[in-house]
Amino acid sequence: MDGGILERDLELDRLADAARDAARGAGSVTLVLGEAGIGKSSLVRALPTVLPPTARLLVGHCDDLTTGRPLGPLRDLVGSVGTDLARAVRDAGDRHRIYEALHAELAGAPHPAVLVVEDVHWADEASLDALRYLVRRIERLPAVLVLTYRDDELGRGHPLRQLLGQVSGAARVHRLPLAPLSRRAVGSLCTAAGLDPAQVYAATSGNPFFVAEVVAAGGTGVVPPTVVDAVHARLRRLDDAARDALEQLAVVPSAVERSLVDALLPGGCGALAAAEQGGLLVVAPDRVAFRHEIIRRAVADSLPAARRIALDRAVLAALVAAPGAD
């Protein structure tokens, strides 16, 4: 455990090494990726504990907004950077001036500069352009560019794909995919709270956000409101057909066999593409399951009684109609 988080020592060490290399003039890009709630922001918050004493940490955020905030992550830096970059970002008229000011800011003392852009999967086009400019030059800067993003939400046409393709060609790239917490780590969190680690792990699959919320709520008996809100925020990105399909599967308290999926959903597995892309489902050739049991429960428990009864009846009818039904 380091910086108040579990099982992230390796990732923090890699980031610390990248910062030390940058202090010697060997800049790099670090990609921190994983599903929602996996701990990307927690890793960023722990960074100050491992960076060299001379390092500057700059953090900007991309937001999930209907209307994107132009240069949002760079605007977050105003107040922490020099006047040239601050003025260029505020004026926002001449993008080349912004790029040059950003380059000069990262090249200036003290060294190294660690620029973190969080949730870059939500970045606006102007921000992506600035990052593309920076990626091409980062190896000659005393700086580390850290990009965090949800890799399970990137469709093939996602704007971030072009930037990631460019990053793959950079001279120094570090990829840090964040894994769920192990059963042992979940157990250590549950023991102090007097909870059953097996139950908590079964509901959360080790997702740190879900684990923390369940532990704070005192167990798996009721889905915490914070989890319900987080799940519904993701549901709102789906169209009505995808939400209907997700609700239908949510009343089945297990992985759903492919034959039952085809019987329940007019479009079969094809109707689940958006939910799978949104990180809510895992679709295999023979079955479909919610990525985490707690997501399924959050969806099912939020259904009005009349809607749930109708969905239960649809499942029962499909099971009875199946060949060889008991």
Side-chain angles (χ1 to χ4, degrees), residues 60-63 68-75 89 95 98-99 102 117-120 122-135 145 147 160 163:
H61 299 83
C62 304
D63 300 300
R69 186 169 63 121
L71 298 170
L74 298 187
R75 293 182 186 277
V89 171
R95 289 195 182 181
I98 294 171
Y99 303 160
L102 178 60
V117 181
E118 286 237 61
D119 295 320
V120 74
W122 289 329
D124 65 285
E125 192 57 46
S127 297
L128 289 174
D129 280 346
L131 293 174
R132 282 191 281 267
Y133 174 91
L134 197 56
V135 164
L145 175 62
L147 305 177
L160 181 56
L163 174 61

PDB file of all heavy atoms in Angstrom, residues 60-63 68-75 89 95 98-99 102 117-120 122-135 145 147 160 163:
ATOM      1  N   GLY A  60      -4.921  18.563 -15.042  1.00  0.00           N
ATOM      2  CA  GLY A  60      -6.102  19.112 -15.708  1.00  0.00           C
ATOM      3  C   GLY A  60      -7.114  18.011 -15.947  1.00  0.00           C
ATOM      4  O   GLY A  60      -6.755  16.836 -16.038  1.00  0.00           O
ATOM      5  N   HIS A  61      -8.382  18.383 -16.051  1.00  0.00           N
ATOM      6  CA  HIS A  61      -9.457  17.398 -16.166  1.00  0.00           C
ATOM      7  C   HIS A  61     -10.288  17.635 -17.427  1.00  0.00           C
ATOM      8  O   HIS A  61     -10.541  18.779 -17.808  1.00  0.00           O
ATOM      9  CB  HIS A  61     -10.391  17.467 -14.946  1.00  0.00           C
ATOM     10  CG  HIS A  61      -9.711  17.169 -13.646  1.00  0.00           C
ATOM     11  ND1 HIS A  61      -9.000  18.117 -12.955  1.00  0.00           N
ATOM     12  CD2 HIS A  61      -9.608  16.015 -12.932  1.00  0.00           C
ATOM     13  CE1 HIS A  61      -8.502  17.569 -11.851  1.00  0.00           C
ATOM     14  NE2 HIS A  61      -8.852  16.304 -11.815  1.00  0.00           N
ATOM     15  N   CYS A  62     -10.713  16.540 -18.032  1.00  0.00           N
ATOM     16  CA  CYS A  62     -11.716  16.585 -19.086  1.00  0.00           C
ATOM     17  C   CYS A  62     -13.050  16.191 -18.451  1.00  0.00           C
ATOM     18  O   CYS A  62     -13.088  15.339 -17.569  1.00  0.00           O
ATOM     19  CB  CYS A  62     -11.367  15.629 -20.222  1.00  0.00           C
ATOM     20  SG  CYS A  62      -9.729  15.923 -20.937  1.00  0.00           S
ATOM     21  N   ASP A  63     -14.133  16.828 -18.906  1.00  0.00           N
ATOM     22  CA  ASP A  63     -15.428  16.642 -18.263  1.00  0.00           C
ATOM     23  C   ASP A  63     -16.440  16.032 -19.221  1.00  0.00           C
ATOM     24  O   ASP A  63     -16.407  16.278 -20.432  1.00  0.00           O
ATOM     25  CB  ASP A  63     -15.964  17.989 -17.748  1.00  0.00           C
ATOM     26  CG  ASP A  63     -15.029  18.629 -16.738  1.00  0.00           C
ATOM     27  OD1 ASP A  63     -14.784  17.992 -15.701  1.00  0.00           O
ATOM     28  OD2 ASP A  63     -14.539  19.748 -16.991  1.00  0.00           O
ATOM     29  N   GLY A  68     -18.837  20.499 -24.887  1.00  0.00           N
ATOM     30  CA  GLY A  68     -17.480  20.404 -24.379  1.00  0.00           C
ATOM     31  C   GLY A  68     -16.895  21.752 -23.991  1.00  0.00           C
ATOM     32  O   GLY A  68     -17.243  22.797 -24.555  1.00  0.00           O
ATOM     33  N   ARG A  69     -16.009  21.743 -23.018  1.00  0.00           N
ATOM     34  CA  ARG A  69     -15.315  22.951 -22.561  1.00  0.00           C
ATOM     35  C   ARG A  69     -14.011  23.055 -23.337  1.00  0.00           C
ATOM     36  O   ARG A  69     -13.072  22.291 -23.082  1.00  0.00           O
ATOM     37  CB  ARG A  69     -15.060  22.843 -21.054  1.00  0.00           C
ATOM     38  CG  ARG A  69     -14.484  24.089 -20.417  1.00  0.00           C
ATOM     39  CD  ARG A  69     -14.509  23.992 -18.890  1.00  0.00           C
ATOM     40  NE  ARG A  69     -13.687  22.909 -18.395  1.00  0.00           N
ATOM     41  CZ  ARG A  69     -12.664  23.065 -17.561  1.00  0.00           C
ATOM     42  NH1 ARG A  69     -12.356  24.268 -17.115  1.00  0.00           N
ATOM     43  NH2 ARG A  69     -11.965  22.034 -17.146  1.00  0.00           N
ATOM     44  N   PRO A  70     -13.906  23.976 -24.301  1.00  0.00           N
ATOM     45  CA  PRO A  70     -12.692  24.057 -25.113  1.00  0.00           C
ATOM     46  C   PRO A  70     -11.447  24.227 -24.246  1.00  0.00           C
ATOM     47  O   PRO A  70     -11.416  25.076 -23.352  1.00  0.00           O
ATOM     48  CB  PRO A  70     -12.933  25.292 -25.998  1.00  0.00           C
ATOM     49  CG  PRO A  70     -14.416  25.425 -26.060  1.00  0.00           C
ATOM     50  CD  PRO A  70     -14.906  24.970 -24.712  1.00  0.00           C
ATOM     51  N   LEU A  71     -10.455  23.387 -24.491  1.00  0.00           N
ATOM     52  CA  LEU A  71      -9.196  23.439 -23.759  1.00  0.00           C
ATOM     53  C   LEU A  71      -9.402  23.293 -22.255  1.00  0.00           C
ATOM     54  O   LEU A  71      -8.641  23.841 -21.456  1.00  0.00           O
ATOM     55  CB  LEU A  71      -8.453  24.746 -24.065  1.00  0.00           C
ATOM     56  CG  LEU A  71      -8.034  24.955 -25.530  1.00  0.00           C
ATOM     57  CD1 LEU A  71      -7.541  26.365 -25.744  1.00  0.00           C
ATOM     58  CD2 LEU A  71      -6.954  23.939 -25.924  1.00  0.00           C
ATOM     59  N   GLY A  72     -10.423  22.524 -21.870  1.00  0.00           N
ATOM     60  CA  GLY A  72     -10.762  22.377 -20.463  1.00  0.00           C
ATOM     61  C   GLY A  72      -9.596  22.012 -19.571  1.00  0.00           C
ATOM     62  O   GLY A  72      -9.350  22.677 -18.551  1.00  0.00           O
ATOM     63  N   PRO A  73      -8.818  20.951 -19.888  1.00  0.00           N
ATOM     64  CA  PRO A  73      -7.718  20.572 -18.995  1.00  0.00           C
ATOM     65  C   PRO A  73      -6.639  21.638 -18.897  1.00  0.00           C
ATOM     66  O   PRO A  73      -5.989  21.774 -17.857  1.00  0.00           O
ATOM     67  CB  PRO A  73      -7.187  19.276 -19.607  1.00  0.00           C
ATOM     68  CG  PRO A  73      -7.694  19.253 -21.004  1.00  0.00           C
ATOM     69  CD  PRO A  73      -8.998  19.994 -20.993  1.00  0.00           C
ATOM     70  N   LEU A  74      -6.422  22.418 -19.972  1.00  0.00           N
ATOM     71  CA  LEU A  74      -5.421  23.487 -19.906  1.00  0.00           C
ATOM     72  C   LEU A  74      -5.938  24.664 -19.097  1.00  0.00           C
ATOM     73  O   LEU A  74      -5.168  25.337 -18.387  1.00  0.00           O
ATOM     74  CB  LEU A  74      -5.028  23.933 -21.314  1.00  0.00           C
ATOM     75  CG  LEU A  74      -4.383  22.858 -22.198  1.00  0.00           C
ATOM     76  CD1 LEU A  74      -3.890  23.457 -23.504  1.00  0.00           C
ATOM     77  CD2 LEU A  74      -3.236  22.173 -21.466  1.00  0.00           C
ATOM     78  N   ARG A  75      -7.232  24.911 -19.162  1.00  0.00           N
ATOM     79  CA  ARG A  75      -7.817  25.981 -18.337  1.00  0.00           C
ATOM     80  C   ARG A  75      -7.659  25.660 -16.852  1.00  0.00           C
ATOM     81  O   ARG A  75      -7.506  26.563 -16.023  1.00  0.00           O
ATOM     82  CB  ARG A  75      -9.284  26.178 -18.687  1.00  0.00           C
ATOM     83  CG  ARG A  75      -9.517  26.729 -20.088  1.00  0.00           C
ATOM     84  CD  ARG A  75     -11.007  26.953 -20.380  1.00  0.00           C
ATOM     85  NE  ARG A  75     -11.211  27.349 -21.766  1.00  0.00           N
ATOM     86  CZ  ARG A  75     -11.084  28.600 -22.221  1.00  0.00           C
ATOM     87  NH1 ARG A  75     -10.765  29.561 -21.362  1.00  0.00           N
ATOM     88  NH2 ARG A  75     -11.278  28.881 -23.487  1.00  0.00           N
ATOM     89  N   VAL A  89      -4.145  30.594 -22.932  1.00  0.00           N
ATOM     90  CA  VAL A  89      -5.336  29.768 -22.739  1.00  0.00           C
ATOM     91  C   VAL A  89      -6.566  30.647 -22.551  1.00  0.00           C
ATOM     92  O   VAL A  89      -7.645  30.347 -23.076  1.00  0.00           O
ATOM     93  CB  VAL A  89      -5.143  28.819 -21.540  1.00  0.00           C
ATOM     94  CG1 VAL A  89      -6.453  28.116 -21.197  1.00  0.00           C
ATOM     95  CG2 VAL A  89      -4.064  27.794 -21.848  1.00  0.00           C
ATOM     96  N   ARG A  95      -4.272  29.099 -31.484  1.00  0.00           N
ATOM     97  CA  ARG A  95      -3.907  27.787 -30.947  1.00  0.00           C
ATOM     98  C   ARG A  95      -2.401  27.555 -30.989  1.00  0.00           C
ATOM     99  O   ARG A  95      -1.843  26.924 -30.095  1.00  0.00           O
ATOM    100  CB  ARG A  95      -4.637  26.677 -31.690  1.00  0.00           C
ATOM    101  CG  ARG A  95      -6.120  26.616 -31.380  1.00  0.00           C
ATOM    102  CD  ARG A  95      -6.708  25.306 -31.838  1.00  0.00           C
ATOM    103  NE  ARG A  95      -8.150  25.251 -31.599  1.00  0.00           N
ATOM    104  CZ  ARG A  95      -8.893  24.199 -31.899  1.00  0.00           C
ATOM    105  NH1 ARG A  95      -8.355  23.114 -32.442  1.00  0.00           N
ATOM    106  NH2 ARG A  95     -10.196  24.214 -31.673  1.00  0.00           N
ATOM    107  N   ILE A  98      -0.865  28.865 -28.004  1.00  0.00           N
ATOM    108  CA  ILE A  98      -1.117  27.984 -26.859  1.00  0.00           C
ATOM    109  C   ILE A  98      -0.134  26.818 -26.868  1.00  0.00           C
ATOM    110  O   ILE A  98       0.465  26.478 -25.839  1.00  0.00           O
ATOM    111  CB  ILE A  98      -2.565  27.470 -26.886  1.00  0.00           C
ATOM    112  CG1 ILE A  98      -3.549  28.615 -26.673  1.00  0.00           C
ATOM    113  CG2 ILE A  98      -2.782  26.385 -25.821  1.00  0.00           C
ATOM    114  CD1 ILE A  98      -5.001  28.239 -26.889  1.00  0.00           C
ATOM    115  N   TYR A  99       0.043  26.197 -28.038  1.00  0.00           N
ATOM    116  CA  TYR A  99       0.955  25.057 -28.133  1.00  0.00           C
ATOM    117  C   TYR A  99       2.375  25.454 -27.725  1.00  0.00           C
ATOM    118  O   TYR A  99       3.045  24.734 -26.956  1.00  0.00           O
ATOM    119  CB  TYR A  99       0.994  24.505 -29.558  1.00  0.00           C
ATOM    120  CG  TYR A  99      -0.339  24.074 -30.117  1.00  0.00           C
ATOM    121  CD1 TYR A  99      -0.520  23.947 -31.492  1.00  0.00           C
ATOM    122  CD2 TYR A  99      -1.429  23.794 -29.292  1.00  0.00           C
ATOM    123  CE1 TYR A  99      -1.730  23.540 -32.024  1.00  0.00           C
ATOM    124  CE2 TYR A  99      -2.639  23.398 -29.816  1.00  0.00           C
ATOM    125  CZ  TYR A  99      -2.790  23.282 -31.188  1.00  0.00           C
ATOM    126  OH  TYR A  99      -3.995  22.894 -31.719  1.00  0.00           O
ATOM    127  N   LEU A 102       2.602  26.112 -24.001  1.00  0.00           N
ATOM    128  CA  LEU A 102       2.572  24.856 -23.259  1.00  0.00           C
ATOM    129  C   LEU A 102       3.937  24.174 -23.327  1.00  0.00           C
ATOM    130  O   LEU A 102       4.451  23.667 -22.315  1.00  0.00           O
ATOM    131  CB  LEU A 102       1.489  23.945 -23.832  1.00  0.00           C
ATOM    132  CG  LEU A 102       1.354  22.552 -23.208  1.00  0.00           C
ATOM    133  CD1 LEU A 102       1.030  22.652 -21.722  1.00  0.00           C
ATOM    134  CD2 LEU A 102       0.275  21.741 -23.939  1.00  0.00           C
ATOM    135  N   VAL A 117      -3.427  14.671 -17.541  1.00  0.00           N
ATOM    136  CA  VAL A 117      -4.736  15.009 -18.102  1.00  0.00           C
ATOM    137  C   VAL A 117      -5.660  13.847 -17.791  1.00  0.00           C
ATOM    138  O   VAL A 117      -5.499  12.748 -18.323  1.00  0.00           O
ATOM    139  CB  VAL A 117      -4.660  15.267 -19.622  1.00  0.00           C
ATOM    140  CG1 VAL A 117      -6.050  15.635 -20.153  1.00  0.00           C
ATOM    141  CG2 VAL A 117      -3.668  16.384 -19.920  1.00  0.00           C
ATOM    142  N   GLU A 118      -6.623  14.104 -16.910  1.00  0.00           N
ATOM    143  CA  GLU A 118      -7.533  13.053 -16.455  1.00  0.00           C
ATOM    144  C   GLU A 118      -8.737  12.916 -17.389  1.00  0.00           C
ATOM    145  O   GLU A 118      -9.233  13.897 -17.942  1.00  0.00           O
ATOM    146  CB  GLU A 118      -8.021  13.382 -15.044  1.00  0.00           C
ATOM    147  CG  GLU A 118      -6.960  13.161 -13.975  1.00  0.00           C
ATOM    148  CD  GLU A 118      -7.447  12.186 -12.927  1.00  0.00           C
ATOM    149  OE1 GLU A 118      -7.741  11.027 -13.290  1.00  0.00           O
ATOM    150  OE2 GLU A 118      -7.540  12.613 -11.769  1.00  0.00           O
ATOM    151  N   ASP A 119      -9.190  11.660 -17.541  1.00  0.00           N
ATOM    152  CA  ASP A 119     -10.399  11.345 -18.319  1.00  0.00           C
ATOM    153  C   ASP A 119     -10.320  11.883 -19.741  1.00  0.00           C
ATOM    154  O   ASP A 119     -11.241  12.532 -20.243  1.00  0.00           O
ATOM    155  CB  ASP A 119     -11.649  11.887 -17.612  1.00  0.00           C
ATOM    156  CG  ASP A 119     -11.899  11.209 -16.283  1.00  0.00           C
ATOM    157  OD1 ASP A 119     -11.710   9.985 -16.198  1.00  0.00           O
ATOM    158  OD2 ASP A 119     -12.289  11.890 -15.314  1.00  0.00           O
ATOM    159  N   VAL A 120      -9.211  11.576 -20.395  1.00  0.00           N
ATOM    160  CA  VAL A 120      -8.990  12.124 -21.734  1.00  0.00           C
ATOM    161  C   VAL A 120      -9.953  11.536 -22.758  1.00  0.00           C
ATOM    162  O   VAL A 120     -10.070  12.042 -23.874  1.00  0.00           O
ATOM    163  CB  VAL A 120      -7.504  11.929 -22.131  1.00  0.00           C
ATOM    164  CG1 VAL A 120      -7.218  10.482 -22.469  1.00  0.00           C
ATOM    165  CG2 VAL A 120      -7.102  12.858 -23.249  1.00  0.00           C
ATOM    166  N   TRP A 122     -12.941  12.009 -22.589  1.00  0.00           N
ATOM    167  CA  TRP A 122     -13.934  13.076 -22.718  1.00  0.00           C
ATOM    168  C   TRP A 122     -13.340  14.365 -23.279  1.00  0.00           C
ATOM    169  O   TRP A 122     -14.005  15.405 -23.282  1.00  0.00           O
ATOM    170  CB  TRP A 122     -14.554  13.372 -21.353  1.00  0.00           C
ATOM    171  CG  TRP A 122     -15.462  12.306 -20.830  1.00  0.00           C
ATOM    172  CD1 TRP A 122     -16.244  11.459 -21.565  1.00  0.00           C
ATOM    173  CD2 TRP A 122     -15.696  11.955 -19.452  1.00  0.00           C
ATOM    174  NE1 TRP A 122     -16.939  10.609 -20.745  1.00  0.00           N
ATOM    175  CE2 TRP A 122     -16.631  10.889 -19.441  1.00  0.00           C
ATOM    176  CE3 TRP A 122     -15.216  12.439 -18.243  1.00  0.00           C
ATOM    177  CZ2 TRP A 122     -17.081  10.312 -18.255  1.00  0.00           C
ATOM    178  CZ3 TRP A 122     -15.668  11.868 -17.067  1.00  0.00           C
ATOM    179  CH2 TRP A 122     -16.596  10.817 -17.067  1.00  0.00           C
ATOM    180  N   ALA A 123     -12.109  14.331 -23.732  1.00  0.00           N
ATOM    181  CA  ALA A 123     -11.435  15.554 -24.169  1.00  0.00           C
ATOM    182  C   ALA A 123     -12.122  16.167 -25.386  1.00  0.00           C
ATOM    183  O   ALA A 123     -12.592  15.463 -26.280  1.00  0.00           O
ATOM    184  CB  ALA A 123      -9.977  15.260 -24.494  1.00  0.00           C
ATOM    185  N   ASP A 124     -12.169  17.491 -25.422  1.00  0.00           N
ATOM    186  CA  ASP A 124     -12.679  18.206 -26.594  1.00  0.00           C
ATOM    187  C   ASP A 124     -11.610  18.205 -27.686  1.00  0.00           C
ATOM    188  O   ASP A 124     -10.446  17.884 -27.446  1.00  0.00           O
ATOM    189  CB  ASP A 124     -13.046  19.647 -26.213  1.00  0.00           C
ATOM    190  CG  ASP A 124     -11.822  20.437 -25.790  1.00  0.00           C
ATOM    191  OD1 ASP A 124     -11.317  20.216 -24.663  1.00  0.00           O
ATOM    192  OD2 ASP A 124     -11.343  21.250 -26.593  1.00  0.00           O
ATOM    193  N   GLU A 125     -12.000  18.581 -28.888  1.00  0.00           N
ATOM    194  CA  GLU A 125     -11.090  18.496 -30.027  1.00  0.00           C
ATOM    195  C   GLU A 125      -9.887  19.423 -29.864  1.00  0.00           C
ATOM    196  O   GLU A 125      -8.757  19.071 -30.228  1.00  0.00           O
ATOM    197  CB  GLU A 125     -11.835  18.836 -31.325  1.00  0.00           C
ATOM    198  CG  GLU A 125     -11.063  18.503 -32.589  1.00  0.00           C
ATOM    199  CD  GLU A 125     -10.652  17.033 -32.665  1.00  0.00           C
ATOM    200  OE1 GLU A 125     -11.495  16.160 -32.398  1.00  0.00           O
ATOM    201  OE2 GLU A 125      -9.481  16.767 -33.004  1.00  0.00           O
ATOM    202  N   ALA A 126     -10.103  20.613 -29.292  1.00  0.00           N
ATOM    203  CA  ALA A 126      -8.990  21.545 -29.104  1.00  0.00           C
ATOM    204  C   ALA A 126      -7.950  20.962 -28.148  1.00  0.00           C
ATOM    205  O   ALA A 126      -6.741  21.102 -28.361  1.00  0.00           O
ATOM    206  CB  ALA A 126      -9.504  22.881 -28.574  1.00  0.00           C
ATOM    207  N   SER A 127      -8.408  20.305 -27.098  1.00  0.00           N
ATOM    208  CA  SER A 127      -7.480  19.682 -26.151  1.00  0.00           C
ATOM    209  C   SER A 127      -6.724  18.533 -26.804  1.00  0.00           C
ATOM    210  O   SER A 127      -5.521  18.346 -26.580  1.00  0.00           O
ATOM    211  CB  SER A 127      -8.231  19.185 -24.913  1.00  0.00           C
ATOM    212  OG  SER A 127      -8.829  20.260 -24.213  1.00  0.00           O
ATOM    213  N   LEU A 128      -7.426  17.723 -27.596  1.00  0.00           N
ATOM    214  CA  LEU A 128      -6.765  16.616 -28.285  1.00  0.00           C
ATOM    215  C   LEU A 128      -5.693  17.128 -29.244  1.00  0.00           C
ATOM    216  O   LEU A 128      -4.611  16.533 -29.359  1.00  0.00           O
ATOM    217  CB  LEU A 128      -7.799  15.779 -29.040  1.00  0.00           C
ATOM    218  CG  LEU A 128      -8.744  14.937 -28.179  1.00  0.00           C
ATOM    219  CD1 LEU A 128      -9.810  14.283 -29.040  1.00  0.00           C
ATOM    220  CD2 LEU A 128      -7.975  13.871 -27.393  1.00  0.00           C
ATOM    221  N   ASP A 129      -5.964  18.248 -29.927  1.00  0.00           N
ATOM    222  CA  ASP A 129      -4.965  18.834 -30.816  1.00  0.00           C
ATOM    223  C   ASP A 129      -3.721  19.250 -30.027  1.00  0.00           C
ATOM    224  O   ASP A 129      -2.587  19.011 -30.462  1.00  0.00           O
ATOM    225  CB  ASP A 129      -5.550  20.051 -31.538  1.00  0.00           C
ATOM    226  CG  ASP A 129      -6.419  19.662 -32.722  1.00  0.00           C
ATOM    227  OD1 ASP A 129      -6.363  18.492 -33.145  1.00  0.00           O
ATOM    228  OD2 ASP A 129      -7.160  20.526 -33.217  1.00  0.00           O
ATOM    229  N   ALA A 130      -3.939  19.878 -28.861  1.00  0.00           N
ATOM    230  CA  ALA A 130      -2.806  20.303 -28.037  1.00  0.00           C
ATOM    231  C   ALA A 130      -1.989  19.100 -27.574  1.00  0.00           C
ATOM    232  O   ALA A 130      -0.751  19.140 -27.547  1.00  0.00           O
ATOM    233  CB  ALA A 130      -3.306  21.102 -26.844  1.00  0.00           C
ATOM    234  N   LEU A 131      -2.667  18.019 -27.229  1.00  0.00           N
ATOM    235  CA  LEU A 131      -1.962  16.821 -26.778  1.00  0.00           C
ATOM    236  C   LEU A 131      -1.205  16.160 -27.923  1.00  0.00           C
ATOM    237  O   LEU A 131      -0.100  15.651 -27.732  1.00  0.00           O
ATOM    238  CB  LEU A 131      -2.956  15.842 -26.143  1.00  0.00           C
ATOM    239  CG  LEU A 131      -3.594  16.312 -24.838  1.00  0.00           C
ATOM    240  CD1 LEU A 131      -4.674  15.337 -24.377  1.00  0.00           C
ATOM    241  CD2 LEU A 131      -2.538  16.487 -23.749  1.00  0.00           C
ATOM    242  N   ARG A 132      -1.799  16.170 -29.116  1.00  0.00           N
ATOM    243  CA  ARG A 132      -1.083  15.617 -30.273  1.00  0.00           C
ATOM    244  C   ARG A 132       0.206  16.400 -30.522  1.00  0.00           C
ATOM    245  O   ARG A 132       1.260  15.813 -30.830  1.00  0.00           O
ATOM    246  CB  ARG A 132      -1.982  15.631 -31.508  1.00  0.00           C
ATOM    247  CG  ARG A 132      -3.004  14.509 -31.522  1.00  0.00           C
ATOM    248  CD  ARG A 132      -3.691  14.389 -32.870  1.00  0.00           C
ATOM    249  NE  ARG A 132      -4.739  15.391 -33.032  1.00  0.00           N
ATOM    250  CZ  ARG A 132      -6.027  15.177 -32.729  1.00  0.00           C
ATOM    251  NH1 ARG A 132      -6.413  14.009 -32.251  1.00  0.00           N
ATOM    252  NH2 ARG A 132      -6.927  16.121 -32.907  1.00  0.00           N
ATOM    253  N   TYR A 133       0.122  17.721 -30.419  1.00  0.00           N
ATOM    254  CA  TYR A 133       1.311  18.572 -30.581  1.00  0.00           C
ATOM    255  C   TYR A 133       2.374  18.188 -29.549  1.00  0.00           C
ATOM    256  O   TYR A 133       3.571  18.061 -29.869  1.00  0.00           O
ATOM    257  CB  TYR A 133       0.896  20.034 -30.421  1.00  0.00           C
ATOM    258  CG  TYR A 133       2.045  21.021 -30.426  1.00  0.00           C
ATOM    259  CD1 TYR A 133       2.477  21.615 -31.605  1.00  0.00           C
ATOM    260  CD2 TYR A 133       2.694  21.366 -29.244  1.00  0.00           C
ATOM    261  CE1 TYR A 133       3.531  22.529 -31.614  1.00  0.00           C
ATOM    262  CE2 TYR A 133       3.745  22.267 -29.240  1.00  0.00           C
ATOM    263  CZ  TYR A 133       4.165  22.847 -30.424  1.00  0.00           C
ATOM    264  OH  TYR A 133       5.205  23.740 -30.421  1.00  0.00           O
ATOM    265  N   LEU A 134       1.934  17.991 -28.311  1.00  0.00           N
ATOM    266  CA  LEU A 134       2.861  17.709 -27.218  1.00  0.00           C
ATOM    267  C   LEU A 134       3.491  16.320 -27.353  1.00  0.00           C
ATOM    268  O   LEU A 134       4.692  16.149 -27.099  1.00  0.00           O
ATOM    269  CB  LEU A 134       2.117  17.828 -25.892  1.00  0.00           C
ATOM    270  CG  LEU A 134       2.949  17.980 -24.617  1.00  0.00           C
ATOM    271  CD1 LEU A 134       3.886  19.179 -24.742  1.00  0.00           C
ATOM    272  CD2 LEU A 134       2.026  18.142 -23.426  1.00  0.00           C
ATOM    273  N   VAL A 135       2.701  15.339 -27.751  1.00  0.00           N
ATOM    274  CA  VAL A 135       3.204  13.967 -27.864  1.00  0.00           C
ATOM    275  C   VAL A 135       4.371  13.892 -28.843  1.00  0.00           C
ATOM    276  O   VAL A 135       5.357  13.169 -28.612  1.00  0.00           O
ATOM    277  CB  VAL A 135       2.063  13.017 -28.289  1.00  0.00           C
ATOM    278  CG1 VAL A 135       2.613  11.682 -28.785  1.00  0.00           C
ATOM    279  CG2 VAL A 135       1.106  12.781 -27.118  1.00  0.00           C
ATOM    280  N   LEU A 145       4.056  13.259 -19.653  1.00  0.00           N
ATOM    281  CA  LEU A 145       2.650  13.485 -19.941  1.00  0.00           C
ATOM    282  C   LEU A 145       1.886  12.236 -19.536  1.00  0.00           C
ATOM    283  O   LEU A 145       2.118  11.160 -20.084  1.00  0.00           O
ATOM    284  CB  LEU A 145       2.442  13.778 -21.430  1.00  0.00           C
ATOM    285  CG  LEU A 145       0.996  13.918 -21.912  1.00  0.00           C
ATOM    286  CD1 LEU A 145       0.297  15.082 -21.223  1.00  0.00           C
ATOM    287  CD2 LEU A 145       0.944  14.076 -23.431  1.00  0.00           C
ATOM    288  N   LEU A 147      -1.738  10.443 -19.249  1.00  0.00           N
ATOM    289  CA  LEU A 147      -3.111  10.488 -19.748  1.00  0.00           C
ATOM    290  C   LEU A 147      -3.904   9.358 -19.110  1.00  0.00           C
ATOM    291  O   LEU A 147      -3.520   8.191 -19.217  1.00  0.00           O
ATOM    292  CB  LEU A 147      -3.139  10.330 -21.272  1.00  0.00           C
ATOM    293  CG  LEU A 147      -2.289  11.316 -22.081  1.00  0.00           C
ATOM    294  CD1 LEU A 147      -2.363  10.978 -23.571  1.00  0.00           C
ATOM    295  CD2 LEU A 147      -2.742  12.758 -21.840  1.00  0.00           C
ATOM    296  N   LEU A 160     -10.427   9.814 -29.446  1.00  0.00           N
ATOM    297  CA  LEU A 160      -9.174   9.547 -28.750  1.00  0.00           C
ATOM    298  C   LEU A 160      -8.308   8.538 -29.499  1.00  0.00           C
ATOM    299  O   LEU A 160      -7.087   8.499 -29.298  1.00  0.00           O
ATOM    300  CB  LEU A 160      -9.472   9.038 -27.334  1.00  0.00           C
ATOM    301  CG  LEU A 160      -8.277   8.725 -26.431  1.00  0.00           C
ATOM    302  CD1 LEU A 160      -7.363   9.931 -26.282  1.00  0.00           C
ATOM    303  CD2 LEU A 160      -8.755   8.231 -25.065  1.00  0.00           C
ATOM    304  N   LEU A 163      -5.229  10.007 -31.233  1.00  0.00           N
ATOM    305  CA  LEU A 163      -4.149  10.385 -30.320  1.00  0.00           C
ATOM    306  C   LEU A 163      -3.406   9.150 -29.818  1.00  0.00           C
ATOM    307  O   LEU A 163      -2.169   9.133 -29.762  1.00  0.00           O
ATOM    308  CB  LEU A 163      -4.721  11.171 -29.141  1.00  0.00           C
ATOM    309  CG  LEU A 163      -3.721  11.517 -28.025  1.00  0.00           C
ATOM    310  CD1 LEU A 163      -2.595  12.387 -28.556  1.00  0.00           C
ATOM    311  CD2 LEU A 163      -4.435  12.196 -26.870  1.00  0.00           C
TER     312      LEU A 163
END
